[in-house]
Amino acid sequence: MKAIQISAERQMGVVDIPEMEMKSDEVQLRLEYVGFCGSDLSTYLGKNPMVKMPVVPGHEVGAVIEKVGADVPDGLKPGMVVTCNPYTNCGKCASCRNGRVNACEHNETLGVQRWGAMRERICLPWEKVIPAGLLTPRTCALIEPMSVGFHAVSRAQVTDIDVVLVIGCGMVGMGAVVRSAQRGATVVAADIDDEKLALARQMGASYTINTRTEDVHKRLREMTSGFGPDVVIEAVGSSATYQMAVDEVAFTGRVICIGYAKTEVSFQTKYFVQKELDIRGSRNAQPSDFRAVIHYLERGTCPVDKLISKEVLPEEAPAAMQQWAENPGKVFRILVKF
């Protein structure tokens, strides 16, 4: 069957790979749309240390059930539109023992530690297949990245009395903006791109800051009566934005870290103590986060078309990835249509 494969740094192409043999407890999915995410871009650029080449990327899935195994529950049937939970969990590590399977020590994400979904068909354990109600497969490809932002808001324990600063308005950051607004918080979105900031307002942000052209500290102090934001969600993964999060968060605030910084980050650690900060990592998403995103998207208020930068066929994917690599700030999601 047809698949997209990254074979080496900046080398991507369409290849023919064998069909997967479906087990009795598995579901065979026909992929219709699969999204490229930041980890796929890092893989393409040769900057993803968790990937072993060659790899089939992709874990943002919009699919239709084609077949079900004999031991699959009746709730999953051929023809259903679904997405998938692309993470594995061992059931034995400390994270799994504590019920936080999204942070499994031995997790293998589709398209990263194991071959992913950029192919015509894939077989997955039925527990990882998530029915998507009335959503289209195209919209389903947005569920996983938004769920990562939703999970960060849960980690932050956001409430309606909080001011939440979200740094980075990509797909994950947009998910954090939406979920924070749903919880009644006052949301401040920060990014270097005015188009993304305008969309963040449409998705629930009360205020926006262009971190390239505005004085972030001054604007935040004005917005918060001098206190600073109660919660800062870092969704970029750079030294500058990590430092900004710690510097700008209010005393006794919460800093939630989603982005992987590519270099070492230096902090004024006195702020950790003086502010008595809660600094928390946020990794992947829980099944409840997937359900919450599906519920949000079913309302029909999400500007889905504005979140999809481009749709391409598999043969067009290498050129689209190269264009993304040259101008990463202008892309929300590239979807590959199978």
Side-chain angles (χ1 to χ4, degrees), residues 174-244:
M174 287 297 188
V177 168
V178 168
R179 194 56 165 165
S180 297
Q182 285 184 333
R183 292 191 174 198
T186 300
V187 183
V188 183
D191 200 278
I192 61 174
D193 187 274
D194 286 331
E195 292 181 16
K196 288 184 176 180
L197 292 173
L199 187 53
R201 278 188 177 272
Q202 188 175 343
M203 298 183 73
S206 299
Y207 304 97
T208 58
I209 301 175
N210 187 314
T211 59
R212 178 174 286 169
T213 61
E214 298 182 77
D215 186 327
V216 176
H217 180 75
K218 181 179 178 181
R219 288 290 314 282
L220 286 172
R221 293 290 156 170
E222 290 172 351
M223 295 171 187
T224 62
S225 301
F227 293 110
D230 305 283
V231 174
V232 179
I233 297 176
E234 198 289 331
V236 176
S238 76
S239 176
T241 51
Y242 263 82
Q243 290 171 344
M244 181 190 298

Side-chain angles (χ1 to χ4, degrees), residues 31-41 57-62 110 117-118 137-138 140-145 308 310 321 324 332-338:
L31 281 308
E32 296 206 359
Y33 289 90
V34 183
F36 277 124
C37 82
S39 65
D40 299 321
L41 178 60
H59 55 256
E60 301 174 357
V61 168
L110 282 175
M118 287 279 177
R138 179 174 179 263
C140 284
L142 304 180
I143 293 172
E144 191 275 341
I308 298 172
K310 183 180 293 189
M321 183 62 83
W324 189 16
F332 277 109
R333 273 302 174 271
I334 298 172
L335 300 188
V336 179
K337 182 178 181 180
F338 283 87

